[in-house]
Amino acid sequence: MRVNFTVNGRRYEADDVWEGESLLYVLRERMGLPGSKNACEQGECGSCTVRLDGVPVCSCLVAAGQVEGREVVTVEGLADFAARRSQAHPDRGHLPHAERSGGGCASGACGTALDKARQWEAEPAGEETRDTGELSPIQQAFIDAGAVQCGFCTPGLLVAADELLERNPEPSDADIREALSGNLCRCTGYEKILDAVRLAAARAEETV
């Protein structure tokens, strides 16, 4: 069958897709977008997380035919997606927290001050530069906080974290843990990943 859908803001057409083919396979093998990783193929690890019509999903569990006429955002399009979102909602950061996230933080500990968040920035070694080109805020925060090690789980974590910060710009630690609970990492022990999300949230608050 033929599947027509939007990936990272561009219309795509995939031909000769068979009924059991997953969205993950189509993205990696037919469209040349290897950012979403193929690991467990059972929806357990989160390494293949993408956004389908705005909602994070494990693309290994989504049949390609289910995305007909729908919109997919992968890690490759995260920077552009974040830029378009910022242009479409320039005043989002000025809304009270309760209006943006639909309520207060359950733990009562909302947000992190930028000065405190800066303690989690990894210091560059020698002449190393952080100028990595056009990145989304969460991607840059992952680099600055040292949250990337082997990198296999990173794409899924970035997509999930970006969605969290979109709906809840001032997440508590409990909010972050809940949002990333479906993404497994064997390298970092998760603390640096949490630091990166805290840093991205603090920077967003500082810019409004």
Side-chain angles (χ1 to χ4, degrees):
M1 61 181 174
R2 175 177 295 170
V3 181
N4 295 278
F5 60 113
T6 301
V7 183
N8 300 329
R10 299 179 60 184
R11 293 289 300 171
Y12 279 89
E13 182 179 278
D15 288 320
D16 300 323
V17 176
W18 63 285
E19 290 81 353
E21 204 163 297
S22 69
L23 172 59
L24 175 62
Y25 183 88
V26 170
L27 291 172
R28 290 179 58 84
E29 307 301 332
R30 295 186 181 274
M31 296 185 173
L33 297 173
S36 305
K37 302 307 180 193
N38 186 359
C40 72
E41 293 189 284
Q42 297 178 12
E44 297 290 340
C45 71
S47 64
C48 67
T49 302
V50 301
R51 293 184 70 170
L52 178 60
D53 290 342
V55 180
V57 298
C58 290
S59 56
C60 70
L61 297 182
V62 178
Q66 291 179 280
V67 301
E68 174 68 34
R70 303 173 73 179
E71 181 174 0
V72 174
V73 176
T74 72
V75 68
E76 287 93 344
L78 208 56
D80 182 61
F81 182 71
R84 288 188 285 119
R85 178 176 58 210
S86 178
Q87 293 170 1
H89 305 284
D91 299 323
R92 181 178 177 85
H94 295 278
L95 294 175
H97 173 78
E99 292 183 35
R100 284 178 283 171
S101 61
C105 297
S107 68
C110 295
T112 302
L114 181 59
D115 287 343
K116 183 178 180 182
R118 282 201 176 107
Q119 69 179 301
W120 299 313
E121 290 184 333
E123 293 297 327
E127 298 300 316
E128 179 185 345
T129 176
R130 294 182 188 173
D131 182 10
T132 55
E134 294 297 324
L135 297 173
S136 70
I138 188 63
Q139 288 172 313
Q140 189 63 56
F142 261 62
I143 293 173
D144 293 342
V148 180
Q149 290 196 21
C150 84
F152 200 85
C153 68
T154 305
L157 283 163
L158 287 169
V159 172
D162 182 75
E163 189 273 340
L164 165 66
L165 295 176
E166 180 183 283
R167 60 181 165 82
N168 184 358
E170 300 176 40
S172 67
D173 284 359
D175 295 328
I176 299 172
R177 291 176 186 275
E178 175 65 24
L180 303 184
S181 61
N183 296 80
L184 302 183
C185 173
R186 293 186 175 185
C187 298
T188 64
Y190 297 98
E191 195 55 45
K192 287 297 182 181
I193 294 168
L194 298 177
D195 291 347
V197 181
R198 295 176 187 128
L199 181 60
R203 285 173 171 171
E205 286 299 306
E206 186 72 9
T207 60
V208 299

